[in-house]
Amino acid sequence: MFRDFKNFQNKVLHLEITKKCPLSCSHCYNESGFSMPHSVVNWRSIIQEAAQIGFRGVQFIGGEPFVYPQLYNLVDYARSLSLEIEIYSNLAVPVRFDSLDKKVKLATSFYSCEASIHDAITGGVGSWERTVAQIRKALEVGFALRVGMVKFPNDEKESDIISFLENLGVSRRNLKIDRIRQFGRGADNTQPTVNELCHHCGKTAAILFDGTITSCPMARFISYGNVNDSSLVEAIFSEQAVAIRKELANRFKRYDASTWEILAGCNPDHCDPDLDDCDPDLNDCDPNHTCTPDFGCNPTLCSPDLN
């Protein structure tokens, strides 16, 4: 029925259930903060429709999803529909691990081995200590956890941060490194542009806290509908939505290797089999996921011989 759906990268729908967050990270792409609102979208209905359409999973994001009052109920509901779930949290707020199914995956961000540096970036005193404690706890009780690191212009070595996280018990294959994307508070007063998006954005879908449907959470300046005005399926598979995704996919395919490296951060580190989603040993590496020839870790784009 939905021919375009076969082109989706991983069939995971990103749900921005809140913009409220106890932290105020200096690079936050959607400018979350303590005074920002929770969403009023009917997320239960969206999750039900996502399962009916054929999405295999949902990712709860924010803001900080663990401050959203109905998060645990939404997780339980999504699990009842056999959807895979990931919650992307700063882990600086209390998490009721005993209320989560162990099949729920967790993800977090980490910025420094030094508490003072991490706290300065997040704008939250004590956030480093709380995040470290809950990384330990999540791994101790058996949750799958991945960690995203962002490169900041300081003297701290990435290898030191990686070693620190590995010593906490984080698997190296679950560590990702990215640069600051020029969106929100990380934009340096520049206008958003597709040049700052990663190359997966033509193959994903996200619903923002106000119901806006877009290609990914960072592509919030590109809208092709709102779930408050139409059904999820009508918006995602509208002619406008299909055209936008096709244009994004075509644009990223046209980048030459040197431009790709600058825009997408594609370098040998990102395509190390021990670090990237293209590790064949990972459960989610299949022909319909991030290891497709045109998307994900493409050996042609990441060849060490390229400039």
Side-chain angles (χ1 to χ4, degrees):
M1 181 177 180
F2 310 116
R3 290 182 300 169
D4 184 62
F5 196 64
K6 65 180 173 57
N7 294 322
F8 271 69
Q9 174 207 352
N10 56 16
K11 296 183 174 63
V12 172
L13 183 63
H14 306 278
L15 305 179
E16 188 181 85
I17 58 177
T18 182
K19 283 194 74 174
K20 187 177 290 295
C21 182
L23 305 181
S24 54
C25 295
S26 59
H27 60 293
C28 182
Y29 66 88
N30 70 354
E31 302 179 273
S32 296
F34 183 76
S35 63
M36 300 302 290
H38 289 313
S39 172
V40 294
V41 170
N42 186 342
W43 292 112
R44 191 179 178 92
S45 175
I46 295 302
I47 291 169
Q48 180 184 44
E49 191 174 0
Q52 292 172 341
I53 293 172
F55 278 96
R56 69 177 179 87
V58 294
Q59 183 196 52
F60 293 103
I61 59 175
E64 171 46 55
F66 279 112
V67 303
Y68 186 70
Q70 297 301 315
L71 173 65
Y72 293 94
N73 291 336
L74 291 178
V75 168
D76 289 342
Y77 182 61
R79 286 292 303 144
S80 74
L81 298 177
S82 299
L83 289 169
E84 297 177 18
I85 299 167
E86 182 179 76
I87 304 172
Y88 203 114
S89 165
N90 56 46
L91 293 183
V93 298
V95 177
R96 302 201 313 265
F97 292 108
D98 57 352
S99 297
L100 293 174
D101 189 309
K102 291 296 194 303
K103 291 183 179 180
V104 172
K105 297 178 181 179
L106 300 174
T108 193
S109 298
F110 196 77
Y111 306 114
S112 175
C113 303
E114 300 294 331
S116 59
I117 297 176
H118 182 97
D119 289 0
I121 292 170
T122 65
V125 176
S127 63
W128 182 90
E129 184 176 356
R130 295 192 297 274
T131 297
V132 168
Q134 294 209 104
I135 287 176
R136 286 196 176 105
K137 181 64 175 179
L139 295 172
E140 177 186 317
V141 297
F143 283 94
L145 175 70
R146 66 183 183 92
V147 180
M149 300 178 293
V150 177
K151 298 177 183 178
F152 281 88
N154 58 44
D155 295 330
E156 193 167 14
K157 294 181 180 179
E158 294 171 12
S159 58
D160 290 340
I161 303 177
I162 290 173
S163 295
F164 180 86
L165 290 167
E166 284 186 301
N167 287 335
L168 291 180
V170 180
S171 170
R172 188 177 180 87
R173 70 174 60 179
N174 289 331
L175 297 175
K176 306 293 179 182
I177 303 173
D178 196 12
R179 59 183 174 82
I180 298 175
R181 301 283 172 173
Q182 297 295 304
F183 301 117
R185 286 196 288 266
D188 295 330
N189 296 317
T190 59
Q191 292 298 312
T193 168
V194 295
N195 290 344
E196 285 296 301
L197 298 173
C198 79
H199 64 290
H200 296 304
C201 297
K203 297 250 178 180
T204 55
I207 303 178
L208 307 185
F209 82 105
D210 62 355
T212 296
I213 305 175
T214 184
S215 291
C216 85
M218 289 193 181
R220 53 203 316 110
F221 57 97
I222 302 174
S223 170
Y224 44 80
N226 191 296
V227 294
N228 294 317
D229 302 322
S230 65
S231 70
L232 177 63
V233 67
E234 288 173 338
I236 285 183
F237 299 107
S238 68
E239 291 185 6
Q240 180 187 18
V242 172
I244 290 173
R245 286 195 295 273
K246 182 177 180 180
E247 171 58 26
L248 286 172
N250 288 338
R251 180 176 298 220
F252 293 130
K253 281 184 179 180
R254 290 197 299 268
Y255 286 146
D256 60 34
S258 59
T259 301
W260 192 279
E261 181 175 352
I262 294 171
L263 299 181
C266 185
N267 59 48
D269 287 340
H270 282 69
C271 292
D272 184 328
D274 291 331
L275 293 177
D276 200 82
D277 284 341
C278 284
D279 183 349
D281 293 332
L282 294 182
N283 292 330
D284 57 0
C285 185
D286 62 60
N288 297 316
H289 193 23
T290 50
C291 290
T292 54
D294 293 332
F295 288 87
C297 184
N298 187 328
T300 302
L301 293 173
C302 295
S303 168
D305 296 330
L306 296 177
N307 292 329

